[in-house]
């Protein structure tokens, strides 16, 4: 297994102009139920996670036909997922897009505030405290 390298400046510059990234930025909060309508729902998930030595062409081609590829890519960039094919992009493409994404998109503070405490804090409230 190889270690992922940091994207070079020219790769990040190209990512900033990539129409897939621009679509992801514009569609990032439009559709919370995008997963239910993805083309990937009717295909073996292994298709989207090829071995490192295998081409990802089949998965990328399927993604290009999908109506929710912008929301899918936005999700992958939000969570920093660098494995598999998401939104018609390969992990290498997304590494460069991730740098551009973090420079373009501000975190959704309203959603963070309304989400409540982090899951870890919620779970800690369920753990009994030993007072002995």
């Amino acid at each position: 297994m190889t270690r992922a390298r940091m994207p070079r400046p020219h790769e990040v510059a190209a990512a900033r102009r990539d129409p897939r990234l621009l679509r992801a930025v514009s569609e990032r909060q439009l559709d919370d139920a995008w997963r239910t309508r993805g083309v990937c729902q009717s295909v073996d998930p292994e298709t989207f996670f090829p071995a490192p030595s295998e081409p990802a062409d089949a998965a990328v081609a399927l993604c290009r036909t999908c109506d929710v590829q912008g929301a899918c890519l936005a999700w992958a960039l939000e969570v920093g997922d660098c494995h598999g094919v998401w939104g018609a992009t390969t992990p290498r493409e997304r590494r460069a897009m991730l740098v551009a994404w973090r420079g373009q998109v501000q975190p959704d503070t309203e959603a963070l505030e309304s989400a409540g405490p982090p899951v870890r804090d919620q779970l800690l409230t369920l753990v009994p405290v030993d007072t002995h």
Side-chain angles (χ1 to χ4, degrees):
M1 190 156 149
T2 61
R3 197 174 101 204
R5 66 171 177 75
M6 288 297 297
R8 295 186 172 103
H10 72 278
E11 293 171 318
V12 175
R16 285 190 179 103
R17 297 184 306 272
D18 192 309
R20 296 170 298 180
L21 178 65
L22 300 175
R23 180 177 177 181
V25 169
S26 68
E27 295 180 9
R28 79 183 253 249
Q29 295 176 334
L30 294 180
D31 186 8
D32 290 332
W34 62 269
R35 287 179 190 244
T36 61
R37 293 190 326 281
V39 171
C40 55
Q41 294 297 309
S42 61
V43 180
D44 181 7
E46 293 294 318
T47 303
F48 299 94
F49 296 91
S53 61
E54 297 292 319
D57 298 344
V60 170
L62 281 169
C63 287
R64 285 188 180 138
T65 67
C66 187
D67 292 335
V68 297
Q69 68 175 289
C72 177
L73 177 56
W75 178 85
L77 293 169
E78 283 283 334
V79 300
D81 193 323
C82 287
H83 301 287
V85 174
W86 294 92
T89 62
T90 64
R92 183 175 184 167
E93 292 169 321
R94 275 196 315 284
R95 281 191 292 274
M97 287 181 178
L98 189 56
V99 174
W101 176 267
R102 289 180 177 157
Q104 287 181 323
V105 175
Q106 298 300 317
D108 186 1
T109 55
E110 185 177 305
L112 291 174
E113 290 170 2
S114 67
V119 173
R120 181 183 145 275
D121 294 343
Q122 293 175 16
L123 291 174
L124 287 176
T125 63
L126 300 174
V127 177
V129 177
D130 186 17
T131 58
H132 298 289

